Amino acid sequence: MSVFMDRLRSGLIRNRGWVTVLLGLFGLVAIWALLNLVIGGKCEQKCVIDTLAQTLRQVTPIAFAALCGVICERSGVINIGIEGMMLMAAMVGYAFNLLVFQLLKDSLGVETAGNVSRIVAMLMGVLSTVLLAWLHAVVSIRFKVDQVISGTVINILALGFTGYIYRQFLAQNVPAGPGTFPLVSIPFLSSIPFIGPILFVQKPLTYIMLIAVFFIHYMLFYTPWGLRTRAIGEHPRAADTLGVDVIRMRYINVLWGGVLAGLGGVWFTLEAVDVFNPGMTNGLGFIGLAAMIFGKWTPIGSLVGAIIFGLGSSVTATISIFRPDIPSQFPQMLPYILTIIILTGVVGRAISPAASGQPYEKQ
Amino acid sequence: MSFALEASGITKSFPGVRANDHVNFAVEHGEIHALLGENGAGKSTLMNILYGLYQPDSGEIKIDGQPVRITSPHDAIDKGIGMVHQHFMLVSPLTVTENIMLGQESLVPGTQALQQLARLDHHKVAGRVRELSKQYGLEVEPDAVVQDLAVGAQQRVEIIKALYRNANILILDEPTAVLTPQEADELFIIMRTLVGQGKSIVFITHKLREVLASADNISVMRAGKMVGSVRPADADQNKLAEMMVGRNVLLQVDKAEARPAGTVLTVKGLQVFDDRRHMAVNDVSLEVRAGEIVGIAGVQGNGQTELAEALTGLRPVAGGHIYMLERETSHATPRRVIESQTSHIPEDRQKHGLVLSFSVRDNMALCTYYQPPFAQGLEIDFSAIDERARELVERYDVRTPDIMTSVGSLSGGNQQKVIVARELTRPVKLLIANQPTRGLDVGSIEFIHQQIVNARDNGAAVLLISAELDEIMSLSDRIAVMYKGRILETLEAKDAVREQLGLLMAGVMKDGMHV
Amino acid sequence: MSNIPVARANFSWRRLAGDFWQLIKMPALAIILAFAVGVVVILLTSRSLTTVGEAYYGLLRGALFKQRGFSETLVATIPYIFLSLAVAVGFKTGLFNIGVEGQYTIGSVCAAWAGVAFSGLPAIIHLPLVLLAGALGGAAWAALPGYLKARTGAHEVISTMMMNYVAFRLAEFLVDGPLRDPLSSGVQTSAISPAAELWKLSAYPARLQDPLNALMVALVAALLVIVLARALLKSSRFAARMQSAARRRSLYIGAGLLVGVLCFVALPPLSKAWWPFTDPYDRLHSGLFLAVLAAVGVWWLLWKTTLGFELRMVGANPSAARYAGVSITRSIILSMAISGALAGLAGTIEVIGVSICGCLPLIFSSGYGWDSIGIALLARNNPFGILAASLLFGAMRNGADLMELNSGVSKYIISLIQALVLLFVSAPAIVRWVYRIKAAPKQEDDAKLTTGWGGPL
């Protein structure tokens, strides 16, 4: 019997990626049951489709945050500043969206100007997070400051800076902007019943996120870059002795992580809503980290984790619509409580890349 | 004829210490050259310089008669030098193949253009690994995950890693530290095969016996200087020891006959799981009486760590019983264990035995800070702790500028002295000493051995766990051999024969049957 | 052979000053650097040098020199002190308690409830009760993530952050729901009983007229004197002269009793005759004393008690702590509970000391939480450093209003400067590089925070 258990256990551990995915799917079903229980089966097909589509939208920033976390931590750098990075990108994206639109709308016409301004805004937002990521990298890699502290500094800096710029320039007398990215419907695939409207009628960032998940998964497990990244996060000295430039790879990976966080950040102001509020990221950066832990530092696992949390959010919204008698605050608490439960009940122990959190000392 | 590797006038200093002082070292083609010295003599530094991990302050290195500059391990590898470190440079969650190709990845043909994004070619590398494996008699499984491999197998992977990169000169740092005597013998056979195929080997060790048995040439270092080179035929253990330490070394501890009294520790059928949920301690029974030293011999990784942790409350007991003086302590917390007058010198002094950022004074009171006279209730009386610490530092000759210095800045030997001072100056009924002299210089080793014998003579029951067979044989009154979680045999020390112990450590019982 | 040099060589003022300078050198330089960067930012956004001058002048005046400026600064400092102490206690145990804002919120809600629920009781009972309620609320809110960390390894950064958001929602619900004041048009809790309020300094004479209140003050004074006398006696030369512990005890207890009686009898009439704080608009309240007491208490706890020794051990090396017999689970939970209690007290004090309506309005994130993490890091988790750093941050926060009025520069620049201070303080290498200073020998006592995400210890 114990031999069987041992085999089962090691089999589970070996395929932990898939186990996580399966458990995640089970979690989704459980949440679904909860939803139906609470609103008493009043959710018809259209409601289901809408909820799921909304879920995928909510998943986008969380998944980007998780992907940023995956790349950084796999390289050995803990990044808890993702929340601040996303906030910065949101503000910068919002600001540039307005700015560029105002500059171009007369010469290019409203629609073209809007498209251009949104793309420029996205790029500038990503640039701002790359700068923050660079700061985090320098402080924690070169100056060897404790990475948790360094990430906190990023968060505080972002809060302060965005708050300041917002109050100083963006709170009053703001001209009209071009609005958020429009929904893009993929021609053939969106007509597939049920799945079509959920997966293939989304805004651009969501598509980018889905592609990114699978792309990064491939990169991490099938390419030299991925092999080296995993090595420097587990045993940097071993990689170093074999000629891998640990410090350089860590820098570059953290910067790429910044790109991902930036994409997640601009989602707030370029896809979700057309305004910026201080602190509007509301903890999604941290939820992204929880999704990463849930997913055992794999991109696909993180996506599943993000879906669970995203589902929590949209279930919240749906419950609020159908049951106005429940004080809105309780459903709103759901995603956060869910995060805590998931965090504590993760399969086995969450073992992070062995060298994450430790600055690398070349002798 | 040029040497395969020649280093001349190598000097390297670190803050406060001259690790290498004008060292000359030469390896001939096709020879097994041992580099001998006690801990801290500078052997690892020299090898790290040869491997490009350090840069020498001055000196020259020649390979095959050509002067070279080695600025990084990558450089060293390019020039044909491969190194197998004492603590393996293997990435545990990755497979053997992935570890071997790291940094020099094979790409699936056709995807090369993508460079870093190209597809890894595991197949090709695995094929080459199998080739090398057959050629040199190094058995490895290319698709195995490294963390599932036994230590000996991991070492073979490290060697293949070097050979994969066309190493001609192999440096092995304390290769037998983690092997049974039999596995060590197998390694020496492998070394002969490698040398027979044209490689040159340097191996670092502090074990006199194996150096005399297996090397072609022995160089001895002491305190950063190269003392000299001898052939095994011209030397014996005593001469080598004298070269290593500079004076006549007491190779055997001077101890009186043991006078055991009543039983202090009884272990019955103990079962303990390790971190990976394997049964590390499998039905172990033993007894330790007051006034005797029971030594547990065995290569690390056979359950000794888990046994010590279970005895001290640091690991849960899955089955069986532990009794301390008639009282059951199988599920006692570490605090209760301490309070039942058990002292524990842990295996990993920096991880378990000390808080490196705390002062020497605080570490002296690490286990007793809450007891009178140090504390009454909640409040701590630091003046009492100060006094005690000063006294202990004096008595145990701990070299420290001040009792408030952080213990992390002390040398390994002095750190261990702090632990020993702390553990042996409380009333001790049972002392568990786990690898108490690992990594220490000869002076500290002698001191600590003496302290352990003194503890025994003062009536303590001592359980000594060590991977150094010499230490076990010289200190123990009774010896138990542990293999794969079981005690294979327990015998009186005076009846123990080295070869027999070695066989037991490898799992071969008296009747020749392998466990 | 002794290798210990003669201990404590001649004491010298110069050496003391030198040591002090070493201690504050890096933080001071970091602060200056941060303000310098602030100058640059203001310049860039306003393109006028005069704005910079007006801004900093306004900041200074608002913090210190304007009427009631300094006392307002102190009012802003008090919650910082409690919150930073909370963070510091966590840090020392190797725990990153980001959840202080949530614990603060829960503490304030509990206080608001207790302030109303026990109306009718005299201050001598009600006030401690309210403080206790707030502290317990915060403690419980923090102990849960602590327990989860100890048992399952769930990293407290995420779990406390989540608890924050839950706390905000919960508070919103309670303030708008069960605890809402039916008599008022605003969304706020019912007003607490005056007996539960923290006395303003200017209100002492009036309050002291009630004999029960006078008794409370006398008891507190007596306790303080006892503690102080005991500490002094232990460390001074008198200790050697006093033969027995019993004699010492009778001495300091006697002193305490004497002071207590004196206070009870003399203070009320004396304060009526003359009292230094007379401005009725001055908001400075007794929370100040509590804050200082808390700092001393935390110092004593961490460096003078067995519990504190254990907590610091766990923070520095959990493996060694386990080996030494310390229960890691107990330490983590206790540390978080103490941390949460301090944060809860911060929230309590805001309700019972500062609140104009004597109630808890619908509040949003105050931003105190992140600042206090910065303060704890700035002060290197030293309670007395925290007092100083909190004062600095309190001054900046208070002065920011006048700065904005004066110069038009948004007061959020303060957040930016505070973030920069934190950046420069946590990366001393940056400051050294800017100022071209050589590195001092390492002698840190910082607990390791980044111990990975998973696995119980």
Side-chain angles (χ1 to χ4, degrees), chain B residues 313-316 334-335 338 343-346 350-358 362-363 365-367 369-371 375 377-382 390 393-394 397-404 419 422-423 426, chain C residues 1-8 92 227 230-231 234 300-327 330-331 442-448:
Chain B
L314 290 171
R315 190 172 282 273
R335 176 136 299 173
I338 293 175
S343 290
H344 180 198
I345 299 177
Q350 296 199 341
K351 183 157 174 222
H352 291 115
L354 297 167
V355 179
L356 290 179
S357 59
F358 277 15
D362 284 339
N363 274 284
L366 209 67
C367 303
Y369 60 92
Y370 64 99
Q371 295 167 354
L378 206 54
E379 220 176 337
I380 297 184
D381 180 2
F382 277 105
R390 261 187 262 271
V393 163
E394 181 90 46
D397 190 27
V398 178
R399 305 289 168 91
T400 174
D402 187 67
I403 56 169
M404 294 307 290
I419 297 178
R422 174 181 77 214
E423 295 298 310
R426 337 193 259 271
Chain C
M1 166 200 105
S2 173
N3 51 28
I4 318 271
V6 177
R8 314 306 134 181
K92 273 306 199 192
V227 170
R230 186 164 165 275
K234 257 173 57 156
W300 177 80
L301 175 75
L302 285 177
W303 277 277
K304 293 284 180 190
T305 64
T306 53
L307 179 60
F309 193 71
E310 287 172 10
L311 294 181
R312 285 187 293 128
M313 233 202 281
V314 171
N317 186 347
S319 308
R322 261 192 88 219
Y323 155 91
V326 177
S327 162
R330 189 183 89 117
S331 300
K442 196 161 150 57
Q443 63 136 333
E444 274 320 300
D445 190 10
D446 288 339
K448 287 242 314 186

Side-chain angles (χ1 to χ4, degrees), chain C residues 14 46 53 113 122 167 209 216 221 228 295 302 318 355 381 383 399 437:
Chain C
R14 187 193 271 154
S46 68
W113 167 78
Q209 299 315 310
M216 179 165 71
L228 206 65
L302 285 177
S355 168
N381 301 322
I437 305 177

Side-chain angles (χ1 to χ4, degrees), chain C residues 47-102:
Chain C
R47 277 176 253 276
S48 140
L49 210 56
T50 36
T51 316
V52 177
E54 281 169 3
Y56 280 107
Y57 178 64
L59 190 62
L60 205 58
R61 253 195 80 210
L64 296 174
F65 302 126
K66 76 166 193 222
Q67 188 187 32
R68 290 188 283 276
F70 188 60
S71 82
E72 280 299 313
T73 291
L74 288 176
V75 170
T77 304
I78 294 169
Y80 275 139
I81 293 177
F82 277 101
L83 288 171
S84 313
L85 287 172
V87 173
V89 168
F91 273 158
K92 273 306 199 192
T93 317
L95 299 166
F96 198 151
N97 182 7
I98 299 195
V100 283
E101 284 229 36

Side-chain angles (χ1 to χ4, degrees), chain B residues 25-76:
Chain B
F25 179 64
V27 181
E28 290 179 26
H29 286 105
E31 87 170 342
I32 298 181
H33 194 130
L35 184 57
L36 190 65
E38 56 160 339
N39 289 299
K43 341 181 268 297
S44 288
T45 308
L46 180 64
M47 291 305 112
N48 284 332
I49 290 176
L50 290 174
Y51 195 53
L53 284 166
Y54 298 148
Q55 300 305 306
D57 298 333
S58 66
E60 192 185 50
I61 302 174
K62 288 198 191 134
I63 297 185
D64 285 330
Q66 301 296 327
V68 294
R69 267 191 47 110
I70 305 176
T71 52
S72 71
H74 196 58
D75 243 5

Side-chain angles (χ1 to χ4, degrees), chain A residues 70-77 225 229 232-233 249-250 253-254 353:
Chain A
V70 167
I71 292 194
C72 290
E73 285 212 21
R74 281 278 185 177
S75 313
V77 178
W225 172 87
T229 297
I232 65 179
M249 273 205 90
R250 281 188 173 178
N253 285 353
V254 170

Side-chain angles (χ1 to χ4, degrees), chain C residues 74-364:
Chain C
L74 288 176
V75 170
T77 304
I78 294 169
Y80 275 139
I81 293 177
F82 277 101
L83 288 171
S84 313
L85 287 172
V87 173
V89 168
F91 273 158
K92 273 306 199 192
T93 317
L95 299 166
F96 198 151
N97 182 7
I98 299 195
V100 283
E101 284 229 36
Q103 292 139 24
Y104 169 100
T105 305
I106 296 291
S108 60
V109 164
C110 290
W113 167 78
V116 171
F118 298 107
S119 292
L121 290 177
I124 191 172
I125 299 182
H126 201 178
L127 183 54
L129 208 57
V130 171
L131 288 170
L132 190 65
L136 283 179
W141 204 249
L144 180 61
Y147 174 77
L148 291 177
K149 163 112 193 195
R151 271 331 179 91
T152 68
H155 202 287
E156 71 280 6
V157 166
I158 300 184
S159 54
T160 52
M161 193 81 213
M162 296 297 112
M163 292 294 274
N164 276 355
Y165 288 104
V166 176
F168 300 149
R169 306 276 184 270
L170 186 62
E172 209 181 285
F173 164 69
L174 288 171
V175 169
D176 197 8
L179 295 180
R180 183 166 177 176
D181 188 352
L183 304 170
S184 147
S185 57
V187 183
Q188 57 192 46
T189 61
S190 312
I192 59 175
S193 149
E197 285 173 9
L198 265 182
W199 307 347
K200 299 213 196 326
L201 289 192
S202 52
Y204 268 69
R207 295 268 191 175
L208 279 173
Q209 299 315 310
D210 181 343
L212 276 178
N213 287 345
L215 181 61
M216 179 165 71
V217 172
L219 276 173
V220 171
L223 273 166
L224 279 174
V225 168
I226 290 177
V227 170
L228 206 65
R230 186 164 165 275
L232 277 173
L233 276 179
K234 257 173 57 156
S235 62
S236 80
R237 282 171 274 254
F238 279 150
R241 289 218 221 127
M242 299 279 135
Q243 297 297 20
S244 73
R247 268 191 96 195
R248 276 198 297 256
R249 194 173 306 141
S250 52
L251 191 70
Y252 56 72
I253 292 189
L257 279 175
L258 185 66
V259 169
V261 167
L262 266 171
C263 280
F264 183 67
V265 166
L267 259 185
L270 257 171
S271 64
K272 208 142 178 253
W274 176 85
W275 187 246
F277 308 99
T278 48
D279 186 346
Y281 293 108
D282 191 333
R283 295 202 304 160
L284 187 54
H285 54 84
S286 312
L288 184 63
F289 306 133
L290 290 176
V292 174
L293 270 175
V296 174
V298 167
W299 171 79
W300 177 80
L301 175 75
L302 285 177
W303 277 277
K304 293 284 180 190
T305 64
T306 53
L307 179 60
F309 193 71
E310 287 172 10
L311 294 181
R312 285 187 293 128
M313 233 202 281
V314 171
N317 186 347
S319 308
R322 261 192 88 219
Y323 155 91
V326 177
S327 162
I328 306 278
T329 306
R330 189 183 89 117
S331 300
I332 291 181
I333 296 179
L334 265 176
S335 173
M336 288 298 282
I338 296 173
S339 181
L342 286 164
L345 277 175
T348 307
I349 287 176
E350 287 298 284
V351 169
I352 64 178
V354 172
S355 168
I356 302 174
C357 62
C359 66
L360 183 65
L362 201 60
I363 45 170
F364 296 98

Side-chain angles (χ1 to χ4, degrees), chain B residues 429-496:
Chain B
K429 290 219 168 69
L430 170 67
L431 170 65
I432 300 176
N434 195 346
Q435 321 288 349
T437 58
R438 181 198 283 165
L440 299 186
D441 58 280
V442 167
S444 301
I445 295 178
E446 287 179 329
F447 180 83
I448 290 178
H449 282 176
Q450 199 55 53
Q451 293 303 315
I452 294 178
V453 173
N454 288 348
R456 176 199 78 165
D457 292 337
N458 287 331
V462 179
L463 184 65
L464 172 68
I465 301 174
S466 177
E468 297 269 353
L469 201 44
D470 289 322
E471 185 171 49
I472 295 278
M473 290 187 73
S474 74
L475 282 180
S476 314
D477 302 313
R478 284 195 295 138
I479 301 178
V481 180
M482 200 158 173
Y483 177 76
K484 292 232 194 304
R486 289 209 174 82
I487 303 264
L488 292 191
E489 200 172 315
T490 312
L491 40 146
E492 294 290 319
K494 46 186 186 283
D495 300 331

